[in-house]
Amino acid sequence: MAGKQSASLERKKLFGDPVLIITIVLLILFLSLFILYPLANLLVDSVQVKATALYSVSPLVSGEKIVYYREDGSEALNDSDPVYVLLSSPVEGLEDKLFPLYRTTGLFASQAQKKDTAGPLYLKVVNNKDRTVYVNVADLLTVQDTPLTYKQNNRLIKKMDGVDPSEVCVQFNADTWTLDAFPRIFQDYTFNHALRNTLLLGMITGLGSLLIGLLFAYVDVYVHIRSAFTRKLFDVVSMLPVVSPPFVLSLSMILLFGRSGLLTRQILGIYDSDIYGLWGIAIVQTMTFFPVVYLMLKGLLKNIDPSMEEAARDMGASRWKVFMTVTLPLMLPGLGNAFLVTFIESVADFANPMIIGGSYDTLATTIYLRITGGTYDINGASAMTVVLLVLTLALFMIQKYVLEKKTAATLSGKASRARMLIEDKSVRYPLSVFCIMVSVFVVLMYIAVPFGALFKLWGRDYSLSFKWFEQMFREGGWKAFGDSFILSLIASPITALLSMIISYLVVKRKFHGKGFIEFVSMLAMAVPGTVLGVGYIRGFAGGVFRTGFLQGIYGTGLILVIVFVVRSLPVGTRSGISALRQIDKSIEESAYDLGAGSGKVFTSVTLPLIKDSFFSGLVTTFVRSITAISAVILLVTPRYLLITCRINEYAEKGEFGVACAYATVLILITYTAILIMNGVIRRFGTSREIKE
Amino acid sequence: MAQKEKKGVRLDHISKIYQDPKTHQNFYAVKDVSIDIEPGAFITLLGPSGCGKTTTLRMIAGFESPDEGEIYLGGEPINALTPNKRDTAMVFQSYALFPHYNVFDNVAYGLKLRKVPKAEIEKRVTDILKLVELSGMEARMTNQLSGGQQQRVALARALVVEPGVLLFDEPLSNLDAKLRVQMRTEIRRIQQILGITAIYVTHDQSEAMSISDQIILMKGGVIAQMGSPMDIYYHPNSEFVADFIGECNFLKGTVAGVEDDSVTLEVAGHRVKTAAAKAGVGEEREIVLRPEAIQIGREGLLPCKVELSCFMGSYQNYHVRVGDTLVKIADNCPLNKEIFQVGEDAWISFDKACAHLL
């Protein structure tokens, strides 16, 4: 009986801790309902063809003796169980079919499967709300105003009065399960194209970001940078993508290089410049994502022990040779990791292809257009989201479970001492000049946005005016800022707390279902916003499992808040987990031992110790939420105006002045939020005194 | 300080099974351990790493659950209780002080949870800090304390809630050697003042001997021997116990005669006597001899050849060869004695009372 007693004792102890058990149950429910369920629903949608078939109930209501059958088609007495009747359909091409009649004396017909040979007979049908219900055969004649769909000659009838019962039909579920949608969408030109576009774009963006990010990291760690200005520039560049909404660069790209672009038309005099398309998106995405690579690789390079490279140098290798034979091979898993992270970001990116993509459609935009564009091919659209989901999930799995582990294995050591920085001018100048140029370019692109909002008419009249801001505030600007601000503000404490609780449970506690919580909360990281958005539409528009449960949240601000929470949860959880791993387990154990219950341990010990992580989670969620677009654009209703959706709208219409005005205010909001966060952490943060 | 009733601890055939993460085979981390601890006793779980001592302690605290058997605290079975519901308090190896609280709040933590009135908290914390000699440090943050002071805070924090039993998980292993000796006397002193039941885990045999009423020596998850420090030192029941508790020599011999007050063995062709023990003539047995119980001289019981002679300050350290066996001798106060040089022939002798037969 190995482990049996301890397992049961652990269970008892768990149940002796109501706070813990309730938290776990609620958490699992939340994660299942808002992450797993919508995704699973999409899977089902992609393989299930929804259909209903009409069958005439005349044999049951004609008043003549009903002929009962067994399942195999032989005749049966009506007391055998279950008993079948043969119904035929008025629709051509549908064969006669045996339908089971259920019996029950239970209060609810839905309990009909509980056998009771004496009870009345029930027929299982689909009602007009698409739900399966059981209807008493005896009621078929007398039912008034029922929720059932009775049809006569395919016309819906509400009441049975004056209708010839023999002509009445009921609807039956005729769902079929098929994988047809997949071959179909793969032959679909638009989709096929979009898939190839997405992969190609991902490759280019991934490689581009990798190259530039690597150069920045190398220069930062290896090359002696003399000027404080360059240092500052590097810091700014690495912080920008955090602060800015994801599509700001697209806007400035159009402003600078578009048809009436400042650089192309005004300075270079090119009038037919076309930046819409693959290269436009690729450049914008590269500029957006390379700082992430830069930060990742910087951390790795710092971990390489300089004496390894010095040994190689000492044995006669040139600097280039050292880089190629020592540094690069050591970093290879890390590079692969960074590449995949960018690749996934690029594949999941919605806003940039939307604004600057032109006719270059990616999976995310194609799905968006399919869903919003009227052709409501549920199977097809669901199958597309499934393809997108599988693609990102596969990449995510490789990244997380293969490359991240390998990276940790090869480069987990600490540098034994400081590195001799490269002073050699022939190396230093070209590299730093390149990096400075890229940085200046990026900064310039960000600066273009506020000016885009301040110039009277971009491309024609470069005098300053507030007219775009005025238009913005006239056309619902205040409401958009209010809605975005409030919804994000509600989402951030929820997310921060939730992610800290998840981190605590994952790092510090042992219980069944822990693997589930960890996996699902990380899963949300790999799910593109578009997929989540579609999943929510399909999953909640008719309520959970189309039962109407939680239908009320669809189209409200609540579902937007939930999307914000789900989208930011993995980020917060990851930072919480790494913060908690640094805290000795026995600190919490000692509180537990001194008499504190789980809730008390969490609030009095754990949370104060990871205060910093909590604060930054708070602000990160706020910033991510207020700049989010891919999922919410599918779910937002006219009741709420969101800044990001407005920017997209105006950019679509070509009114870049207003779009820039929105983006400018948005950047100001996020930047302020981050300033406040840094201030708070500096003022109240505990980690410094703890770490020392 | 008001004394709560002391509680005894009884482990009734306790086992803990773990699964090897690689082979997925179950193995016993603790197997069939039964211990009965009197109220107010200071007992030590001693053993090499991986012997199950810490697991046993964590089962008493409630962090682990036993797979077999029942644990009683003051007569009550506590298997199903969570750690926070058990009347135990633990002092951790890493001290586990709350870094975001100052000394006072650290110590007051358990009292606040018990909803003790504020004035009483103040008094009890002040009293206990006085006892561990930390008066005046209430407002310090824990990272402003030395290792020894942190240790005292951890001790005060556990003591102040007046637990039925106090648990120590290698509390001194992070201190330097000198402080370790000082703190263990301190712990013993405070435990005696308060008369609290204490269970102490350590792998340091000298710590165990100096501090405890009873030592429970564990190996491979089972109890190897249980007894008072002196009992275990002089009457080990196995080679493992003898060797683990201090340095030890083992002389192989054949039993030549059994008397009421002694046993005679033939070792390397010479006859020697040991303390009385159960034995049968003709058996191959081992004599356990502590290095300090052996004398070296020009005459004695067994001839030997000196292989190492080394001045250690308080004693002269010899390695001598008796037959095939290497024997270590600690000859105390070497100043007025004859020092034997390497290569010399000599004799060893010992009192039969100090020779324990295995």
Side-chain angles (χ1 to χ4, degrees):
Chain A
M1 285 293 109
K4 207 164 178 196
Q5 184 185 330
S6 66
S8 87
L9 284 175
E10 290 293 340
R11 219 166 15 248
K12 262 188 211 159
K13 283 185 196 170
L14 197 64
F15 281 100
D17 200 339
V19 178
L20 183 64
I21 198 87
I22 290 170
T23 312
I24 292 173
V25 169
L26 287 181
L27 210 55
I28 288 179
L29 275 179
F30 179 84
L31 294 176
S32 315
L33 193 60
F34 294 113
I35 298 178
L36 273 195
Y37 160 71
L39 298 182
N41 207 48
L42 281 179
L43 280 178
V44 171
D45 272 348
S46 67
V47 293
Q48 188 191 47
V49 179
K50 283 248 149 236
T52 47
L54 294 177
Y55 279 86
S56 161
V57 291
S58 60
L60 297 174
V61 297
S62 61
E64 289 167 26
K65 189 170 178 287
I66 304 172
V67 189
Y68 296 102
Y69 296 91
R70 291 203 186 88
E71 202 175 0
D72 58 13
S74 58
E75 268 190 48
L77 293 171
N78 108 18
D79 58 353
S80 67
D81 189 73
V83 41
Y84 290 78
V85 286
L86 193 66
L87 301 182
S88 56
S89 173
V91 181
E92 300 246 348
L94 282 177
E95 289 173 12
D96 291 359
K97 210 173 150 192
L98 283 173
F99 287 90
L101 295 178
Y102 300 93
R103 296 168 181 284
T104 183
T105 47
L107 203 56
F108 299 103
S110 59
Q111 297 168 338
Q113 265 121 334
K114 284 184 186 157
K115 288 171 188 175
D116 180 359
T117 46
L121 289 166
Y122 285 88
L123 190 61
K124 192 177 171 186
V125 294
V126 182
N127 74 4
N128 56 2
K129 285 198 178 130
D130 221 19
R131 280 181 235 165
T132 302
V133 294
Y134 293 83
V135 58
N136 194 329
V137 171
D139 288 345
L140 277 177
L141 271 177
T142 54
V143 151
Q144 305 267 319
D145 247 351
T146 73
L148 287 175
T149 325
Y150 295 100
K151 291 193 178 178
Q152 187 184 27
N153 296 334
N154 267 348
R155 279 204 324 277
L156 198 74
I157 52 166
K158 279 256 167 85
K159 292 188 177 185
M160 300 289 276
D161 300 340
V163 174
D164 179 359
S166 63
E167 285 178 16
V168 170
C169 291
V170 287
Q171 248 191 100
F172 290 97
N173 205 337
D175 295 352
T176 45
W177 299 78
T178 164
L179 289 170
D180 286 352
F182 288 96
R184 197 174 78 229
I185 57 162
F186 277 108
Q187 279 157 18
D188 182 309
Y189 175 79
T190 331
F191 173 77
N192 227 329
H193 220 68
L195 182 59
R196 259 184 297 152
N197 284 351
T198 309
L199 293 177
L200 182 63
L201 176 64
M203 289 300 273
I204 296 176
T205 303
L207 286 175
S209 312
L210 193 63
L211 223 67
I212 300 182
L214 178 61
L215 256 173
F216 266 79
Y218 190 81
V219 170
D220 190 343
V221 179
Y222 281 77
V223 178
H224 187 128
I225 303 171
R226 292 252 174 86
S227 77
F229 170 75
T230 319
R231 284 246 157 257
K232 193 82 202 152
L233 208 57
F234 273 42
D235 285 346
V236 170
V237 165
S238 63
M239 201 197 62
L240 279 176
V242 186
V243 190
S244 90
F247 41 77
V248 161
L249 288 184
S250 287
L251 285 181
S252 52
M253 192 77 179
I254 292 168
L255 293 178
L256 294 178
F257 299 98
R259 277 177 203 124
S260 46
L262 183 64
L263 291 178
T264 40
R265 186 159 157 182
Q266 240 60 37
I267 295 176
L268 299 173
I270 304 168
Y271 279 81
D272 56 350
S273 145
D274 186 12
I275 38 103
Y276 296 90
L278 173 62
W279 291 104
I281 317 177
I283 291 172
V284 164
Q285 284 190 342
T286 305
M287 290 299 134
T288 314
F289 300 138
F290 90 84
V292 181
V293 178
Y294 161 42
L295 289 183
M296 279 173 81
L297 297 183
K298 182 177 161 184
L300 286 184
L301 282 174
K302 279 202 164 152
N303 277 352
I304 295 181
D305 193 336
S307 36
M308 258 190 286
E309 291 154 340
E310 279 166 14
R313 263 315 246 162
D314 191 44
M315 285 181 278
S318 67
R319 221 185 277 285
W320 176 248
K321 191 91 184 152
V322 171
F323 180 77
M324 292 306 284
T325 56
V326 180
T327 317
L328 203 61
L330 276 174
M331 297 202 34
L332 218 49
L335 291 178
N337 194 16
F339 171 74
L340 278 188
V341 167
T342 343
F343 195 110
I344 295 172
E345 290 274 4
S346 161
V347 167
D349 186 18
F350 167 79
N352 289 316
M354 197 70 201
I355 291 178
I356 205 175
S359 60
Y360 193 86
D361 281 329
T362 64
L363 277 182
T365 54
T366 307
I367 292 168
Y368 170 75
L369 294 174
R370 274 288 156 103
I371 294 287
T372 54
T375 48
Y376 208 56
D377 171 14
I378 296 167
N379 271 121
S382 303
M384 287 181 193
T385 51
V386 169
V387 171
L388 179 55
L389 179 63
V390 168
L391 181 70
T392 48
L393 269 188
L395 293 172
F396 176 71
M397 293 289 170
I398 300 174
Q399 185 248 321
K400 181 124 189 78
Y401 294 103
V402 182
L403 289 172
E404 210 162 77
K405 286 235 164 71
K406 269 205 181 140
T407 315
T410 47
L411 284 179
S412 58
K414 262 265 155 268
S416 56
R417 56 202 184 73
R419 193 182 302 276
M420 290 295 293
L421 296 173
I422 301 173
E423 296 275 8
D424 189 349
K425 279 182 186 158
S426 64
V427 181
R428 215 178 78 202
Y429 282 150
L431 287 182
S432 17
V433 164
F434 175 81
C435 288
I436 290 172
M437 271 167 63
V438 174
S439 311
V440 167
F441 179 63
V442 170
V443 171
L444 229 132
M445 286 182 84
Y446 280 98
I447 290 176
V449 173
F451 282 106
L454 284 172
F455 288 148
K456 214 168 213 166
L457 185 57
W458 194 273
R460 295 261 165 72
D461 183 357
Y462 287 103
S463 56
L464 296 175
S465 98
F466 278 109
K467 66 180 247 197
W468 301 121
F469 284 98
E470 279 159 18
Q471 188 188 344
M472 168 179 83
F473 287 122
R474 205 168 49 241
E475 293 174 8
W478 287 114
K479 182 166 165 49
F481 287 116
D483 288 351
S484 269
F485 193 81
I486 287 168
L487 291 176
S488 308
L489 208 59
I490 297 171
S492 53
I494 301 174
T495 317
L497 194 65
L498 218 55
S499 48
M500 291 308 122
I501 292 175
I502 292 177
S503 323
Y504 168 72
L505 291 176
V506 166
V507 178
K508 306 281 175 176
R509 305 304 294 244
K510 278 188 297 192
F511 56 92
H512 287 290
K514 176 168 136 177
F516 174 85
I517 290 181
E518 191 175 10
F519 176 77
V520 177
S521 48
M522 284 297 132
L523 180 74
M525 184 141 47
V527 179
T530 315
V531 174
L532 201 71
V534 179
Y536 273 44
I537 293 180
R538 297 295 304 152
F540 295 107
V544 178
F545 296 114
R546 302 202 180 84
T547 55
F549 174 60
L550 285 184
Q551 194 175 9
I553 67 166
Y554 185 72
T556 63
L558 184 59
I559 203 164
L560 297 178
V561 170
I562 292 171
V563 169
F564 289 157
V565 171
V566 167
R567 296 281 291 156
S568 298
L569 203 54
V571 186
T573 309
R574 207 166 45 170
S575 97
I577 285 178
S578 67
L580 275 176
R581 288 238 162 95
Q582 299 182 352
I583 297 173
D584 185 1
K585 194 176 174 189
S586 54
I587 293 183
E588 272 130 351
E589 277 181 350
S590 72
Y592 198 23
D593 187 57
L594 285 169
S598 290
K600 187 77 190 165
V601 172
F602 182 75
T603 51
S604 70
V605 178
T606 313
L607 208 49
L609 289 183
I610 50 172
K611 233 178 354 185
D612 286 6
S613 192
F614 179 78
F615 279 139
S616 71
L618 211 64
V619 175
T620 312
T621 310
F622 177 77
V623 170
R624 280 179 64 99
S625 300
I626 208 165
T627 59
I629 181 162
S630 53
V632 285
I633 199 169
L634 287 160
L635 296 168
V636 73
T637 52
R639 244 202 291 172
Y640 291 91
L641 296 178
L642 296 182
I643 306 173
T644 49
C645 300
R646 300 292 281 175
I647 298 178
N648 182 53
E649 244 171 74
Y650 283 109
E652 288 276 278
K653 281 193 277 183
E655 296 184 32
F656 293 108
V658 186
C660 284
Y662 269 108
T664 307
V665 179
L666 186 50
I667 293 178
L668 284 179
I669 294 178
T670 52
Y671 188 63
T672 314
I674 287 178
L675 281 187
I676 292 174
M677 170 182 84
N678 289 341
V680 166
I681 289 179
R682 211 167 304 135
R683 177 86 177 71
F684 299 104
T686 48
S687 10
R688 197 169 316 124
E689 65 206 48
I690 294 167
K691 274 169 196 153
E692 266 163 18
Chain B
M1 196 173 302
Q3 264 308 299
K4 258 189 8 179
E5 166 207 12
K6 306 171 198 170
K7 286 184 180 170
V9 176
R10 190 157 66 83
L11 307 188
D12 189 12
H13 299 285
I14 290 296
S15 297
K16 178 72 192 176
I17 298 165
Y18 282 133
Q19 201 179 47
D20 188 300
K22 283 203 187 104
T23 60
H24 295 285
Q25 297 249 296
N26 289 328
F27 67 93
Y28 279 96
V30 173
K31 191 172 183 184
D32 199 25
V33 166
S34 295
I35 310 171
D36 203 343
I37 301 162
E38 295 286 321
F42 197 119
I43 74 128
T44 299
L45 297 171
L46 175 67
S49 65
C51 72
K53 55 189 192 302
T54 298
T55 307
T56 308
L57 191 78
R58 290 175 62 83
M59 282 194 280
I60 299 172
F63 295 124
E64 310 278 349
S65 301
D67 282 297
E68 287 157 17
E70 183 74 54
I71 300 171
Y72 298 88
L73 177 61
E76 303 284 328
I78 55 166
N79 263 6
L81 289 184
T82 50
N84 53 332
K85 306 259 168 66
R86 296 186 183 198
D87 193 12
T88 62
M90 184 138 145
V91 179
F92 289 81
Q93 182 171 10
S94 59
Y95 318 138
L97 299 179
F98 307 129
H100 55 302
Y101 289 156
N102 62 20
V103 170
F104 182 91
D105 289 332
N106 260 287
V107 179
Y109 186 84
L111 295 176
K112 282 179 188 157
L113 285 173
R114 283 163 181 73
K115 305 245 162 20
V116 176
K118 212 168 167 201
E120 198 190 330
I121 291 183
E122 199 124 337
K123 185 183 178 308
R124 278 168 70 174
V125 172
T126 311
D127 286 352
I128 207 82
L129 284 178
K130 201 166 166 193
L131 188 69
V132 298
E133 295 169 356
L134 280 179
S135 296
M137 304 235 179
E138 286 85 350
R140 293 262 189 105
M141 292 308 280
T142 55
N143 59 344
Q144 297 170 313
L145 301 176
S146 70
Q149 288 168 329
Q150 290 184 15
Q151 177 62 63
R152 286 163 201 263
V153 177
L155 182 62
R157 186 178 64 179
L159 284 171
V160 80
V161 296
E162 295 173 3
V165 52
L166 198 55
L167 307 174
F168 294 92
D169 182 14
E170 309 214 17
L172 305 181
S173 57
N174 286 349
L175 299 178
D176 63 60
K178 219 166 185 174
L179 206 52
R180 200 148 51 204
V181 174
Q182 190 193 333
M183 272 311 289
R184 74 188 188 207
T185 4
E186 194 82 334
I187 288 176
R188 180 61 168 165
R189 175 181 72 89
I190 292 167
Q191 185 263 343
Q192 301 262 284
I193 294 173
L194 300 179
I196 203 164
T197 315
I199 304 175
Y200 190 99
V201 161
T202 179
H203 61 261
D204 180 339
Q205 48 92 16
S206 65
E207 205 171 293
M209 281 201 282
S210 65
I211 209 167
S212 26
D213 298 321
Q214 265 223 321
I215 291 176
I216 293 163
L217 188 56
M218 293 182 73
K219 186 201 180 189
V222 297
I223 296 177
Q225 194 173 354
M226 214 180 324
S228 68
M230 197 182 256
D231 200 29
I232 288 191
Y233 190 79
Y234 284 111
H235 302 112
N237 64 6
S238 67
E239 214 174 296
F240 164 75
V241 175
D243 203 33
F244 194 84
I245 304 265
E247 271 204 285
C248 217
N249 297 300
F250 302 99
L251 282 177
K252 282 203 178 71
T254 318
V255 177
V258 182
E259 297 86 48
D260 285 348
D261 60 344
S262 64
V263 179
T264 309
L265 283 97
E266 198 171 295
V267 179
H270 296 263
R271 293 207 160 198
V272 294
K273 280 182 188 298
T274 72
K278 265 196 175 168
V281 176
E283 282 175 352
E284 290 278 329
R285 297 290 283 269
E286 276 183 329
I287 307 168
V288 178
L289 279 169
R290 297 287 172 191
E292 71 276 10
I294 306 175
Q295 293 89 44
I296 186 166
R298 290 288 167 203
E299 50 200 29
L301 298 170
L302 295 167
C304 65
K305 199 172 183 75
V306 177
E307 292 188 352
L308 175 96
S309 175
C310 179
F311 178 62
M312 303 294 287
S314 64
Y315 64 95
Q316 182 79 15
N317 185 23
Y318 293 106
H319 286 185
V320 301
R321 190 67 66 178
V322 179
D324 301 332
T325 318
L326 182 79
V327 173
K328 296 169 209 155
I329 303 169
D331 199 16
N332 283 328
C333 291
L335 186 57
N336 298 323
K337 290 183 181 167
E338 182 185 1
I339 303 295
F340 291 82
Q341 299 304 325
V342 174
E344 275 190 85
D345 288 317
W347 289 78
I348 61 165
S349 54
F350 47 84
D351 190 85
K352 71 174 182 188
C354 301
H356 175 70
L357 198 61
L358 270 187

